[in-house]
Every structure is written in C-alpha cells, then in structure tokens.
C-alpha cells in the first residue's frame, strides 16, 4: 500500500504534532500574550496518536517527525517515542524542538529510540534571543544542543529563520559557530504561518540572499541528490561541513513533497498550507466502530486526503490565502 497523490508523489513522512502548547513566544509565530490554546480534551491521547501512526505505517509511512507547538512540554513525550520505536516495523523517529527541555530529556529520548533532533535557534546573542522569544532562556537552548550531541542524536540540525534587519547580520557567525561545534545548520525562509497574520514578503531574507551572505566568507558547493528533502545542501569550503537552505517561498520544493501532517487535535493536513483538513479525531472517538473498522476508516481518510492534495502551496499566486491555523497549531 502507498499514499500516492494525483501528481505521483508517494508520501512516506508523517509530521505528528503532539501539542499546540509552547514555552517560547517567537515573534514570527505568536504574540507574547498568546493563550488561545486548543481545548485539552481535543488533544489526542497517546493511544489515539498510536492508532493513527500504526495505520499510517501500514499505509507506507516510514518516518515520523514529532512536532508541536513544543513537543517536549508534553509529559508523555518519551513514552510516545518508545511506543513508536516498539512497533513491529518501526519508522524512523525524529523530533523538532526549541531545546529548552532537551538538557533534561535528550538521553531518555535517545534511549527510547529517538534518532535525531531539529532545533530551532535564530540567534547566538542572549539579549536578542530574549527580544525574539520573550523568554530569557538562551543558555537552556545551548545546554540542550550539547545534551543532544552527547546523547548521540546525530546529526543535530539547527534551523534558523533569518529576518531582514533583525538577525540577518548573524548568518555568517551562525555558520562559523555551527561548524566549530558540530551543528548541522539550515536557514529557513520565513513563511506566512504566523498567528498574527502579519507576514510580509519584504521582511523575508530570500534563499539567494542567504547564499550570497554566506559566500562573503565561505565557498558553497551544491551537494547533488536532494530527493524530497526540503533543504538544498551545500559543502562549506569543500567540506566536510555542510549548510542547508530551505527556500519554501522563493524556490518551492512541492513537486517532490512526501509529507503529510497530523495536528495535535486530530486533523489531517495534506500540506503545511492546506486550507482544508480531514477530521480523524471523530473517527478515533466514534463508539459505534470496532477497532478494525476504525483502522480501516483511518486508512481511507489518509488515502482520500492524499488524493486531494494540491500541486503546491500557492504562496506566490495572487489568490494565496494564509491558512487559518497558525504554525504553532500545525507543527514544523
Ligand atoms: S508547502 Fe505543502 S506541498 Fe509544498 S513542500 Fe510543504 S507540505 Fe509539501
């Protein structure tokens, strides 16, 4: 069985948001006083999450990325990783985090079977960190990165969003620091997914600009064989260090997309920018269904959502409308 859409894209990667809660307030994601969380009883339980993941693996999903909000604020996150890893044919399990709780959880997560982490960090300046996240927690992030490296969660990928006139002066220092500390750095173009709906293309630092910024200090050589990976990879000064650039807006990679997303409240999204969702939670909680019927129906919902997938995000189309659901309630 495979989850193939009408453009021939085979979906093998499921991004699973396990909560919409977060312990940071990144300016490009949510306002500092944001508190419009999903109702607690809408969040899927660990058993419900596992039912969807088991069915998805049966339909051809081979990798699971756990996301949030911030997944490490969910108390049973280690148990979720352990249960995914205990499946008869376990998918690869990775996780995207802001690393605030990673110093405490990196080793238990690695022991539970987590393969690696993506860590969001947009600056090396503690004061700027505080302004960008409304939290004075820079040192905790660095401790988290070091704990991930020590626990063998390799490669430790660090994702940085550059914003014009905010932190774009740190492109070169971030790369130099990453090379010196064994981080795998990727720059991501800022996407129109903020809760405030205030994304402005002119504030974005485009992939081409990022490339030129880095080339003022380094020589970048494209690494061939990208496949469905979002990042365009480059050797830095002939390697072995590399850097990635994720040009979601200026050079979309939708034609090779293999990702589906499950939100923390049980909605299936066939694209990060989907305007429609498929309700899985209702099926999970339908008392009239046997477990077998429930799993069959979920498999059907995965297939129909995949078949309904559009060719791309349409951000560059005049008709583009930002999704109602913010990034914090979808997951990276
Ligand atoms: S924008 Fe949508 S279609 Fe494009 S790569 Fe992302 S998830 Fe896939």
């Amino acid at each position: 069985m495979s989850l193939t859409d009408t453009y021939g894209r085979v979906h093998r990667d499921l991004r699973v948001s396990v909560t919409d809660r977060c312990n940071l307030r990144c300016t490009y994601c949510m306002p500092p006083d944001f508190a419009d969380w999903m109702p607690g009883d809408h969040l899927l339980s660990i058993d419900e999450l596992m039912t969807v993941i088991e069915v998805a693996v049966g339909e051809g999903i081979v990798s699971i990325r756990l996301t949030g909000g911030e997944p490490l604020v969910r108390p049973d996150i280690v148990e979720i990783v352990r249960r995914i890893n205990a499946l008869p044919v376990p998918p690869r399990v990775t996780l995207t985090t802001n690393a605030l709780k990673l110093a405490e959880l990196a080793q238990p997560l690695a022991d539970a079977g987590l393969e690696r982490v993506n860590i969001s960090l947009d600056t090396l300046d503690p004061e700027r960190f505080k302004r960008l996240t409304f939290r004075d927690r820079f040192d905790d992030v660095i401790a988290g990165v070091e704990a991930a490296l020590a626990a063998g969660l390799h490669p430790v990928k660090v994702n940085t969003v550059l914003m014009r006139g905010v932190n774009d002066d740190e492109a070169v220092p971030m790369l130099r620091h990453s090379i010196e500390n064994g981080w795998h750095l990727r720059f991501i173009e800022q996407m129109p997914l903020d809760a405030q709906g205030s994304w402005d293309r002119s504030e974005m630092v485009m992939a081409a600009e990022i490339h030129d910024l880095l080339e003022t200090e380094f020589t970048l050589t494209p690494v061939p064989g990208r496949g469905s990976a979002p990042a365009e990879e480059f050797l830095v000064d002939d390697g072995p260090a590399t850097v990635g650039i994720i040009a979601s807006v200026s050079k979309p990679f939708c034609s090779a997309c293999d990702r589906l997303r499950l939100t923390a409240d049980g909605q299936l999204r066939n694209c990060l920018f989907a305007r429609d969702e498929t309700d899985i939670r209702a099926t999970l909680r339908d008392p009239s269904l046997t477990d077998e019927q429930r799993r069959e129906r979920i498999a059907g919902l995965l297939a129909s959502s995949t078949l309904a997938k559009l060719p791309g995000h349409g951000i560059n189309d005049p008709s583009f409308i930002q999704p109602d659901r913010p990034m914090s309630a979808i997951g990276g």
Side-chain angles (χ1 to χ4, degrees), residues 9 253-254 257-259 261 270-273 309-313:
R9 296 171 295 190
F253 36 84
C254 304
C257 180
D258 67 348
R259 293 169 288 281
R261 287 178 165 80
N270 56 26
C271 168
L272 186 54
F273 292 91
K309 185 166 180 165
L310 298 176
H313 54 46

Side-chain angles (χ1 to χ4, degrees), residues 45 48 54 69 90 98 106 116 127 133 139 145 150 170 182 192 200 225 231 241 247 261 265 269 271 294 296 304:
S45 68
E48 291 171 332
E54 287 168 24
N98 62 28
R116 63 169 184 75
E127 284 308 310
T133 65
D139 294 344
V145 178
E170 288 193 69
D200 182 337
R261 287 178 165 80
D265 59 343
R269 299 176 60 83
C271 168
R294 192 182 318 283
E296 275 173 20
S304 58

Side-chain angles (χ1 to χ4, degrees), residues 17-28:
S17 171
V18 295
T19 181
D20 64 333
R21 271 72 170 167
C22 189
N23 44 9
L24 286 181
R25 295 291 181 278
C26 300
T27 52
Y28 54 79

